[in-house]
Amino acid sequence: MPELLLELFSEEIPARLQRRAAADLKKAVTNALIENGLVYESAGAFATPRRLALTVTSLPAASPDTKEERKGPKTDAPQQAIDGFLRAAGLSGIDQAKVQSDPKKGDFYVAVIERKGAPTLDILKDILPAAVKSFPWGKPMRWGSGRTEWVRPLRAVTATFGPDGEDPEIVPFTIEDVASSNVTFGHRFMAPEAIKVRRFDDYVQALEKAKVVLDIDRRKDIIRSDAEQLAFAQGLDLIADEGLLEEVAGLVEWPVVMMGSFDAAFLEVPEEVIIATIRANQKCFCLRDAATGKLANKFILTANLIAEDGGAAIVAGNERVIHARLSDAKFFYETDLATPLSDNLPKLEDVVFHARLGTQYERVGRIETLAAKIAPLVGADVDDARRAARLAKADLPSGMVGEFPELQGLMGRYYALAQGEKPEVATAIEDHYKPLGPSDRVPSGAVSIAVALADKLDILTGFWAIDEKPTGSKDPYALRRASLGVIRIVADNGLHLPLGQLVTDGDLLSFFHDRLKVSLRDAGARHDLVDAVISADSDDILEIVNRVNALGSLLEAEDGKALLAGYKRAVNILVAEEKKDGKTYTGDLDAAALALSEETVLSAAIDLARTDVAARLEADDYAGAIASLATLRGPVDAFFETVLVNDPDPAIRANRLNLLARLRDTMHLVADFGKVAG
C-alpha cells in the first residue's frame, strides 16, 4: 500500500525542541489523516538539527465513501428553520430530504448526505501545509517577506506519496515560496548537494551516504559508545549525563567523537565546578580515572564532521576555550574562598525574595528562627542549626554561584569547610535545598534536616500568608515541590514531627494532606486507605504513612477482609435503624441485657480490643493497634451468624444496636473504615 514521506528542511533547530517537534509533527499529520477517514499501519517521526521527517505506511489510495443521516426540523417548522437546515445539509430543495415519523415528536425532515471518497494525494496536499502553518512552536519566527512562522527559516520541503515498487508522486503544495519536491539535502559541509529520494527506506540510506544520521536515538548511541570506548582506551570512565547527551545529539547530524585535555592544575578547583564549566560552555563530557574515581584532566567532545586533519584543530580550539573558562572559574573560586561567608550576608539585603515577603536577608532571619525551633524536634543541636541557617544563603552573592546558579548550596559547603565551619553545618548549607525532585536524595543529618525543613516551611507559610497558593496546574513558586520535600524528609528519616506546631494555617495543613495523598498513591497505596486514616487535624506525616501501610496489610489478609465486611454490615444496620428511630446509638451497653453467648463474647472482645487499641495508639504502635482489631473477626462473624439484631424486645434490640455502635466506634479509633472500599 502507498507510503507518505515528508521532510521539512530548515536552518538549525534548537536541540531542546527537536524531539518534541518530531512528536508534534506526527500528531498533527496522523490526526488529520484519521479525521479524513485515512487509516494507516504505522507512523514514525525523526529529527536532526536541520530537518523534521515523517513516514506513514500503508495508507489507502483514497478515503472511503461516506453516508450520513442528518436530522432536521419538524415538517411544520417555520420556513427560516427549514432553509437553514437545507444550507447546512447542502441540499438545493426540501424535496431532496426525506420525512421520518416519531410517535412522540411527529414528522421531521432527514437529509441523507453521501460523500464520495477523495484521492489520498488530494487530501495530503491540503492537510500537510495546514500542519506546517499551525505547528505549535513555542517561539516561531518569520523569514523573508512571508507570513508563515517556523522555528528557523524553512529551506525545502520533501513530500512524496506512492506504493512500493513504483515511483511515488510528489504531494504538491507550497509554503510561502518553498514548493514541495522529491529532493532533500545532505550534511551542510560534507555532502551539501541535492539528493533525489523516493520512499522512506531509500531516503534514510541516501542520508547516511550524505553523512546524516536521521534518528536522534541512534546518534545518542553512537556518541555514547564511541565516548566510552575512547575513555576505556585511556583507563578512564565517562561521567554519564543523559541531558547533555540528548542536547549534543541534537547539535550534530554526523557525530564524530574526540578527546581533549586541560591543565591538571585546574583540578584544584572543585570537580563540580569543572564539570559545570565544561558542560555549560562547550557541551563536552567529563571523565574520571577508572582506578581512583577522581576527575581526570581530559574531556570528550562531539564534532559534526570528519576533519581532514583528524580533528586536531577542533580539539585544539575546544581546549583553548575550556582553558579560558576554567581560568575564570579558578579565579572566582579563589576570590570567593578569600571572603568569609558571613561577610556576604549584608549583600542579601539588596536581594528581593518577593515584593511582599521581603529580602533574602529577612528570609534568612526567619529560617534561622524556624530552624532553632525545629532542631529539638529532630535531634539537632540548636546552635549548629542556627549557624547553618544563618549561612545557608551566603553563597548566593559569590562569583561562582553568580556564574553557575545550579551550584548554590554546594559552593557554600566548600567555602564553609575551607573557612573552618563544622562539617555538619557545611553539609546543611548544601543539603537545605534538597530534595529538588522525586529522584533527588533526602537530607539525613539532623542539622541538615532542621534547616531543610525550615527553608521549605518558610516558603510555604510565607506564600500562604499572602494568599499566593497553587491553582490548577499553575505553581510559579514550586510550592507543591516544597511540600513534597517536607513529606519526603519526614517520612524517609522516620520522624514524628508535629506539623501542627509549625503550621498554624488550616488550609496549609490541608494542602499537606493533599500532597501526602498524591505521594502515597504514587507509591502504590490505595486511595481509599489514605482517605480513611487522614482526618482534618492529622499533623504527623510518619504516623499517617505508617497507618496506611498497616491498614493495607490488615485488609490484604482474610481476617481483615472479613472484619471489614462485618463492619460495613454493622454500619448499614445502624444507619438504617438510627434513621428509623430518629436517634444515634452511642455504644452504652446494658451488660445484663446481653442474652446470647455470641453477643456477650463480642462485647468482651470489643472492650478488650478498645483498651488495647487505645494503649497502642498512645505508644505510636499503629501496627499493634491494627493487630488488635484483627482479633475481632471471629466474634463479629459469630455474632452475625447467630444473633438477630432487630429483636422483638425493644430493650434487647436497643442494646444490640449499641453493641454495633461500640464496634464501629472502636474501629474508628484506628481509621474511618467507612471510607474503605470493599
Side-chain angles (χ1 to χ4, degrees):
M1 292 183 73
E3 173 190 279
L4 167 67
L5 169 63
L6 173 67
E7 183 198 75
L8 303 169
F9 184 82
S10 70
E11 299 298 327
E12 275 72 6
I13 303 168
R16 69 183 185 281
L17 303 180
Q18 292 171 22
R19 191 179 291 275
R20 174 63 182 271
D24 286 340
L25 179 63
K26 177 181 175 181
K27 180 180 179 181
V29 174
T30 55
N31 283 355
L33 291 172
I34 296 300
E35 288 171 4
N36 282 273
L38 296 171
V39 296
Y40 58 92
E41 183 177 291
S42 65
F46 306 88
T48 80
R50 295 204 298 159
R51 70 199 77 221
L52 296 179
L54 174 70
T55 175
V56 183
T57 65
S58 298
L59 278 165
S63 62
D65 297 342
T66 61
K67 182 177 181 179
E68 174 192 355
E69 288 194 355
R70 181 175 297 180
K71 184 178 179 181
K74 296 177 68 173
T75 54
D76 58 354
Q79 188 60 40
Q80 185 178 3
I82 294 175
D83 291 343
F85 165 64
L86 293 175
R87 285 194 299 272
L91 303 181
S92 58
I94 198 63
D95 57 317
Q96 294 180 329
K98 63 180 183 178
V99 177
Q100 287 188 2
S101 297
D102 186 295
K104 295 182 179 179
K105 298 181 180 180
D107 295 341
F108 57 90
Y109 291 113
V110 173
V112 179
I113 305 172
E114 296 184 3
R115 294 188 179 92
K116 295 289 292 182
T120 299
L121 190 68
D122 291 344
I123 296 173
L124 288 173
K125 71 180 183 182
D126 291 331
I127 68 174
L128 295 185
V132 173
K133 292 174 181 177
S134 61
F135 203 83
W137 293 113
K139 293 183 178 180
M141 62 181 294
R142 295 174 184 167
W143 68 97
S145 59
R147 305 295 296 173
T148 299
E149 296 183 334
W150 201 246
V151 67
R152 293 292 185 270
L154 197 61
R155 298 305 188 196
V157 175
T158 305
T160 66
F161 175 73
D164 193 10
E166 300 179 12
D167 282 337
E169 295 184 72
I170 295 171
V171 182
F173 63 92
T174 301
I175 305 295
E176 299 298 347
D177 58 349
V178 180
S180 60
S181 71
N182 60 353
V183 174
T184 186
F185 300 88
H187 193 281
R188 181 185 288 277
F189 306 113
M190 294 189 290
E193 299 81 12
I195 304 168
K196 186 176 179 180
V197 297
R198 298 172 67 251
R199 296 169 58 82
F200 181 70
D201 288 344
D202 73 88
Y203 163 76
V204 174
Q205 294 172 14
L207 286 181
E208 287 273 350
K209 291 178 182 177
K211 298 296 186 282
V212 175
V213 178
L214 183 64
D215 187 354
I216 189 171
D217 288 320
R218 184 159 168 258
R219 297 199 299 276
K220 287 175 65 175
D221 289 341
I222 292 170
I223 296 167
R224 183 190 293 108
S225 176
D226 289 357
E228 289 176 347
Q229 290 180 28
L230 270 180
F232 180 77
Q234 298 285 329
L236 304 172
D237 288 332
L238 181 72
I239 297 178
D241 189 331
E242 190 63 26
L244 179 59
L245 181 60
E246 176 83 7
E247 183 177 8
V248 171
L251 296 173
V252 298
E253 289 195 317
W254 191 259
V256 179
V257 177
M258 309 175 195
M259 182 180 290
S261 62
F262 57 86
D263 191 336
F266 288 124
L267 294 175
E268 297 175 5
V269 177
E271 67 173 43
E272 294 90 348
V273 173
I274 296 174
I275 293 171
T277 300
I278 292 176
R279 184 190 197 280
N281 292 293
Q282 290 304 105
K283 311 304 179 189
C284 294
F285 298 87
C286 290
L287 302 160
R288 293 191 186 280
D289 187 300
T292 65
K294 294 182 178 179
L295 194 69
N297 65 318
K298 295 183 182 296
F299 61 90
I300 293 289
L301 64 97
T302 307
N304 189 33
L305 55 81
I306 301 172
E308 293 181 357
D309 63 355
I314 295 173
V315 171
N318 277 270
E319 288 178 341
R320 284 194 299 272
V321 175
I322 285 176
H323 180 90
R325 296 298 188 182
L326 289 179
S327 295
D328 291 343
K330 189 171 185 289
F331 171 78
F332 286 138
Y333 179 63
E334 291 173 348
T335 302
D336 291 342
L337 276 179
T339 305
L341 280 174
S342 56
D343 287 2
N344 285 339
L345 291 175
K347 299 176 184 177
L348 295 178
E349 295 182 23
D350 299 324
V351 180
V352 176
F353 171 65
H354 186 278
R356 297 169 62 192
L357 294 174
T359 65
Q360 281 284 12
Y361 185 83
E362 292 171 317
R363 183 162 183 256
V364 165
R366 297 196 300 268
I367 295 173
E368 184 179 356
T369 300
L370 192 51
K373 184 176 181 180
I374 294 172
L377 303 176
V378 299
D381 181 87
V382 174
D383 291 337
D384 288 346
R386 279 188 178 277
R387 182 63 177 172
R390 186 73 175 162
L391 300 178
K393 308 293 182 183
D395 65 345
L396 295 181
S398 68
M400 188 62 71
V401 173
E403 184 75 9
F404 298 107
E406 68 270 23
L407 298 182
Q408 60 187 344
L410 173 68
M411 297 314 302
R413 174 172 68 83
Y414 276 115
Y415 300 148
L417 288 172
Q419 294 167 8
E421 298 291 343
K422 290 183 178 180
E424 51 267 43
V425 170
T427 299
I429 293 173
E430 177 184 7
D431 285 357
H432 84 281
Y433 290 106
K434 297 181 180 299
L436 292 174
S439 60
D440 196 16
R441 67 178 177 85
V442 170
S444 56
V447 176
S448 296
I449 290 170
V451 181
L453 288 173
D455 178 68
K456 292 164 181 58
L457 289 172
D458 175 71
I459 290 175
L460 290 161
T461 55
F463 282 106
W464 245 253
I466 61 173
D467 199 27
E468 289 279 0
K469 306 169 187 176
T471 56
S473 61
K474 296 182 179 179
D475 187 10
Y477 304 110
L479 302 181
R480 292 188 180 95
R481 186 178 72 184
S483 63
L484 287 172
V486 171
I487 289 168
R488 284 193 61 199
I489 291 170
V490 171
D492 289 8
N493 287 289
L495 299 172
H496 284 288
L497 183 73
L499 272 182
Q501 296 182 22
L502 307 169
V503 174
T504 57
D505 189 307
D507 288 340
L508 179 52
L509 189 59
S510 177
F511 180 72
F512 270 109
H513 290 166
D514 291 340
R515 294 299 94 203
L516 181 56
K517 289 177 184 179
V518 171
S519 178
L520 288 171
R521 290 168 188 169
D522 288 346
R526 284 170 44 180
H527 68 89
D528 55 331
L529 303 192
V530 179
D531 291 334
V533 303
I534 292 182
S535 61
D537 58 352
S538 297
D539 71 344
D540 189 327
I541 290 171
L542 184 62
E543 179 182 332
I544 294 170
V545 172
N546 290 342
R547 288 190 175 200
V548 169
N549 292 335
L551 187 56
S553 297
L554 170 68
L555 296 177
E556 287 175 2
E558 287 304 316
D559 281 350
K561 294 175 183 176
L563 180 60
L564 178 62
Y567 163 87
K568 289 189 176 294
R569 185 174 178 182
V571 169
N572 288 339
I573 293 171
L574 278 169
V575 169
E577 299 307 310
E578 287 178 341
K579 182 178 180 180
K580 183 170 66 178
D581 298 344
K583 60 181 291 189
T584 299
Y585 288 93
T586 61
D588 294 330
L589 287 176
D590 179 1
L594 297 173
L596 300 176
S597 61
E598 287 79 7
E599 56 185 327
T600 302
V601 169
L602 178 58
S603 176
I606 292 173
D607 288 345
L608 183 62
R610 189 182 189 90
T611 301
D612 191 52
V613 165
R616 290 182 181 276
L617 291 177
E618 183 68 26
D620 292 325
D621 180 11
Y622 195 78
I626 286 286
S628 291
L629 286 187
T631 63
L632 294 174
R633 182 258 172 102
V636 169
D637 286 351
F639 176 85
F640 282 118
E641 287 174 5
T642 307
V643 178
L644 176 65
V645 176
N646 287 320
D647 192 271
D649 186 326
I652 293 177
R653 172 180 174 274
N655 208 46
R656 288 174 179 171
L657 289 171
N658 273 314
L659 181 59
L660 296 184
R662 195 163 181 80
L663 171 67
R664 174 197 62 196
D665 296 344
T666 298
M667 293 184 68
H668 281 184
L669 293 175
V670 174
D672 185 350
F673 282 83
K675 295 180 179 178
V676 177

